[in-house]
Amino acid sequence: AASKLEVFMPAVVEVESEGTARIECDFDIPGNGSYTYINWFYIDRSNRVKLCHITGSEVLEENTDYKGRLVVGEDKALSISKVTVQDARTFVCQVGAGPHGVGENRTELRIYKVPEAPEITPNPTGISVQSSDIPQIARCVSRNSFPPPNITWHKNGEQLQPEENKVKIPHTLTRESSGLYTVSSSLFAHVTRDDRHSRYHCAVHYWLRGQRHHLESQRVNVTVFYPAEHVKLEVMPSSALVKEGDNVKLVCEADGNPAPVFSFYKRELEDNWQDLTSLADTNSGVLNLHDVNKSSSGLYRCQTLDLDDMRQMEKDVELVVNYIEGVRVKMEPSSPLQEGDSVKLSCDAHSPVALDYQWRDEKGRKVAEGNQLLLSNLTFETSSNFSCKVMAPSVPGLEQSKQVAVAVQGKPRIVAISSPLYVRQDEVVNLTCKAIAFPRPSVHWNVNGTAHEYVENQHVASNLTVRVSHDLLRAGAMCRVSNALGVSEKHIQLLDQKTSESKGVIIVAIIVCILVVAVLGSVIYFLHKKGKIPCGRTGKQDITKPEARKDKIVVEVKSDKVSEEAGLLRGTDGERRPAANQ
């Protein structure tokens, strides 16, 4: 048992704003006695303000700011609902126990509000590495916290500390009308060009139930301005692959920020430089050269100007435009070619790179490789246009072609006529004569008609529309083809189609008769061999089977041939000879 009245209370109670605070009050009375009364107070500026008076089961609440928010439990614990930061004060529980006197104890009520996540705002205008003053990197703000937290700054994950003439971190604390705090902080620090990749963030730190907590902002970059240290000038595409007709870009890059102003020049004779800046985009550092040619080759220069410190830098690059020129084809011999001759074609060209040669015919088919083409035993049909295709294997797409005509000369050669031609008298027919020759020949007919000529390569064809007369049918027509080197002619034979048809009918009839006699003779010979036609008998012959087969089919063969032959063998006196004497 207790020797005197003792009151027990927690030293500290922590509750989040808008929550319910419960403050317990336990006591021991000597001899297990009972209390007479309990009073609850709060301390306001060293003064006690009574909240309520408890006797037995009766609770008398005083008229204070807590009225309506207080609840006393059966264990005499005091509960305060909807606490605010203004409720952060000391509360006293006083217990009266008659002859055992009065005892009391107190609890400090602490109200906390977790701060909002910090918001970070980087410097919007950018920072120069050449700034003489310590520039502001970013600003950080955290709102609605209690008690007030503190803010720290971090760069690439490492916490920053104030450093004289290098790093400054001022703070500002503001108490709002709600009693909550807004804390803000700014980071001032010098930067280098490496800080263009740095990541900054801030963190707000607060205590809760005896433990330290923190919230972090997002990580941000800041724009850092620094002069260029290196300049690079490149040809796009690669200079080794540029050919005549290409569009080329000269791209100039500097590693400063912001990018400097770019100027472009091309070296001319006597070390003079032609200004090409008007053709370039001075902001992006790109010079566009369209449809380049051999004269576009040369030394180009990019010059940069930093407007911050007026510093100049420059870089040169050599542009090589690959080309093929002077493509020519030589033919040996160069004199006119005749059928049966041979000719050698040679192709040559100039280029700063190695070249390959191909020969193709007029249909585009490859006929040979190398810079020479040998054609042997020429004919009119060999006459054609050949092309020499010159290519640069190291420069894709760089190629040129040159054509040469191989013309074989000679007198005309008639290659086709419509002979023989079957016609009818008075019929209108087409007579055709086709020849090949070079130079181009002319075609003449020895008969009158309407002629149409068609020319294809070395061939010439003439169609003569004519009515067939008796004389034309008898004599035929003559096609005569001539050029400066000679004459060729051929006769076209006309045949009467009626005569041909009559002869054809007679021939067909003779063939049919021969076939009929041959078949009939074969049948008679077959029957005679089988014993079906006995020699020297007339009339009809019954052919029967053995006795046991009488019920089977009986085949009867009648021969009228004997009587016919007998009639043919009568004498001149009209008497008939016996068949046996035939």
Side-chain angles (χ1 to χ4, degrees):
S3 59
K4 62 177 181 177
L5 175 60
E6 291 182 307
V7 179
F8 306 98
M9 293 180 69
V12 177
V13 172
E14 290 186 350
V15 182
E16 187 173 6
S17 178
E18 298 299 321
T20 297
R22 187 175 186 274
I23 306 174
E24 297 179 347
C25 181
D26 297 326
F27 47 87
D28 281 342
I29 301 175
N32 291 327
S34 60
Y35 71 93
T36 305
Y37 66 89
I38 297 176
N39 289 326
W40 280 97
F41 303 91
Y42 70 88
I43 304 300
D44 182 23
R45 299 175 184 175
S46 301
N47 296 320
R48 290 191 176 197
V49 180
K50 183 184 285 189
L51 291 172
C52 61
H53 178 74
I54 304 168
T55 56
S57 60
E58 183 179 358
V59 177
L60 178 61
E61 186 176 351
E62 300 292 335
N63 188 17
T64 64
D65 293 338
Y66 289 93
K67 190 174 182 64
R69 293 196 292 145
L70 298 178
V71 174
V72 178
E74 292 182 359
D75 58 354
K76 309 311 179 219
L78 179 67
S79 296
I80 307 172
S81 61
K82 297 182 180 178
V83 296
T84 65
V85 295
Q86 286 78 10
D87 296 328
R89 48 175 53 120
T90 299
F91 289 82
V92 177
C93 176
Q94 184 184 73
V95 180
H100 298 291
V102 177
E104 65 181 35
N105 208 337
R106 59 185 58 196
T107 295
E108 181 185 356
L109 178 60
R110 295 178 182 175
I111 307 301
Y112 69 88
K113 176 70 170 67
V114 175
E116 295 178 5
E119 298 177 359
I120 187 170
T121 305
N123 188 320
T125 59
I127 306 167
S128 173
V129 298
Q130 298 175 331
S131 174
S132 57
D133 297 329
I134 302 178
Q136 182 180 7
I137 303 295
R139 184 172 182 268
C140 181
V141 178
S142 178
R143 296 180 174 84
N144 298 325
S145 62
F146 190 89
N150 67 314
I151 291 178
T152 58
W153 283 95
H154 304 262
K155 171 183 167 181
N156 298 327
E158 298 291 332
Q159 184 174 342
L160 298 173
Q161 300 294 341
E163 189 175 350
E164 188 176 357
N165 297 328
K166 291 185 178 180
V167 179
K168 295 193 301 183
I169 307 177
H171 294 82
T172 301
L173 184 64
T174 304
R175 183 168 183 139
E176 308 294 345
S177 59
S178 62
L180 301 178
Y181 290 95
T182 294
V183 62
S184 63
S185 177
S186 296
L187 172 64
F188 292 82
H190 286 294
V191 294
T192 66
R193 64 184 292 122
D194 293 335
D195 287 324
R196 67 190 185 276
H197 303 305
S198 295
R199 305 274 286 175
Y200 297 88
H201 78 276
C202 60
V204 58
H205 301 265
Y206 60 95
W207 287 89
L208 176 62
R209 295 186 178 93
Q211 293 185 337
R212 183 178 174 88
H213 299 268
H214 73 278
L215 295 171
E216 294 184 353
S217 71
Q218 64 180 2
R219 284 156 172 76
V220 296
N221 285 107
V222 292
T223 302
V224 179
F225 299 130
Y226 46 89
E229 294 181 351
H230 304 92
V231 177
K232 181 172 64 174
L233 181 59
E234 289 184 319
V235 177
M236 303 295 290
S238 170
S239 180
L241 301 177
V242 176
K243 62 182 182 298
E244 283 192 317
D246 282 350
N247 295 325
V248 176
K249 287 184 179 181
L250 297 184
V251 181
C252 190
E253 296 178 346
D255 59 356
N257 185 41
V261 176
F262 297 94
S263 300
F264 288 90
Y265 304 89
K266 182 174 185 280
R267 187 170 66 180
E268 301 293 342
L269 297 177
E270 300 179 358
D271 206 27
N272 292 324
W273 291 87
Q274 178 188 3
D275 190 350
L276 303 177
T277 305
S278 60
L279 305 177
D281 185 341
T282 57
N283 293 321
S284 64
V286 176
L287 173 63
N288 289 296
L289 301 176
H290 299 284
D291 195 20
V292 296
N293 53 37
K294 178 183 176 181
S295 63
S296 302
S297 298
L299 187 67
Y300 289 79
R301 172 171 294 174
C302 168
Q303 192 174 82
T304 65
L305 174 63
D306 193 320
L307 298 179
D308 192 17
D309 58 5
M310 304 305 292
R311 179 183 175 190
Q312 283 188 339
M313 300 182 71
E314 59 187 32
K315 190 71 174 180
D316 296 343
V317 69
E318 185 80 23
L319 173 62
V320 177
V321 179
N322 295 290
Y323 61 91
I324 297 175
E325 67 178 6
V327 180
R328 58 189 182 275
V329 177
K330 181 181 179 182
M331 184 167 62
E332 296 177 317
S334 58
S335 58
L337 301 173
Q338 307 292 328
E339 282 197 301
D341 288 350
S342 296
V343 66
K344 182 175 71 172
L345 304 179
S346 301
C347 186
D348 192 19
H350 176 68
S351 175
V353 293
L355 299 176
D356 285 346
Y357 298 84
Q358 280 186 1
W359 294 93
R360 295 181 179 269
D361 61 17
E362 60 186 6
K363 294 183 179 180
R365 296 172 300 193
K366 185 173 73 172
V367 295
E369 291 189 353
N371 68 331
Q372 290 188 346
L373 174 64
L374 181 63
L375 302 174
S376 302
N377 195 21
L378 295 175
T379 64
F380 288 131
E381 288 79 5
T382 310
S383 298
S384 178
N385 290 323
F386 292 88
S387 64
C388 171
K389 185 177 182 181
V390 187
M391 301 166 293
S394 61
V395 186
L398 180 58
E399 58 183 45
Q400 284 195 21
S401 295
K402 182 76 171 181
Q403 277 197 347
V404 61
V406 177
V408 178
Q409 298 185 2
K411 74 174 188 177
R413 173 158 41 90
I414 298 176
V415 295
I417 57 172
S418 53
S419 179
L421 183 65
Y422 293 95
V423 299
R424 290 188 176 91
Q425 190 167 332
D426 293 329
E427 179 185 14
V428 176
V429 296
N430 285 327
L431 306 181
T432 302
C433 182
K434 186 175 183 181
I436 185 170
F438 185 83
R440 178 182 168 181
S442 58
V443 182
H444 302 279
W445 298 89
N446 68 337
V447 294
N448 294 328
T450 303
H452 299 278
E453 285 193 5
Y454 306 92
V455 178
E456 181 182 2
N457 297 332
Q458 309 293 331
H459 291 83
V460 59
S462 177
N463 288 339
L464 180 69
T465 303
V466 64
R467 183 178 297 278
V468 179
S469 64
H470 176 73
D471 293 339
L472 178 61
L473 184 60
R474 176 179 55 81
M478 183 68 72
C479 169
R480 187 173 186 272
V481 185
S482 62
N483 65 6
L485 300 179
V487 178
S488 293
E489 57 184 13
K490 280 195 176 182
H491 179 260
I492 296 179
Q493 182 183 9
L494 302 182
L495 300 177
D496 192 340
Q497 194 168 4
K498 290 183 179 180
T499 304
S500 301
E501 290 177 353
S502 300
K503 291 180 180 179
V505 169
I506 294 173
I507 293 172
V508 170
I510 292 173
I511 293 173
V512 170
C513 290
I514 293 173
L515 290 175
V516 169
V517 171
V519 171
L520 187 58
S522 298
V523 171
I524 295 174
Y525 178 78
F526 175 75
L527 294 177
H528 172 72
K529 279 292 186 178
K530 291 294 185 177
K532 307 301 182 182
I533 305 179
C535 229
R537 301 184 65 176
T538 61
K540 65 180 179 180
Q541 175 73 29
D542 289 335
I543 303 174
T544 60
K545 296 296 180 180
E547 197 65 23
R549 303 296 298 274
K550 290 271 187 173
D551 56 332
K552 299 299 180 178
I553 298 175
V554 176
V555 179
E556 182 178 281
V557 178
K558 295 182 179 181
S559 177
D560 295 330
K561 184 130 182 116
V562 176
S563 58
E564 293 175 4
E565 292 174 351
L568 293 173
L569 297 174
R570 291 181 183 272
T572 56
D573 56 358
E575 294 181 358
R576 182 174 179 178
R577 298 181 183 179
N581 297 329
Q582 294 177 22

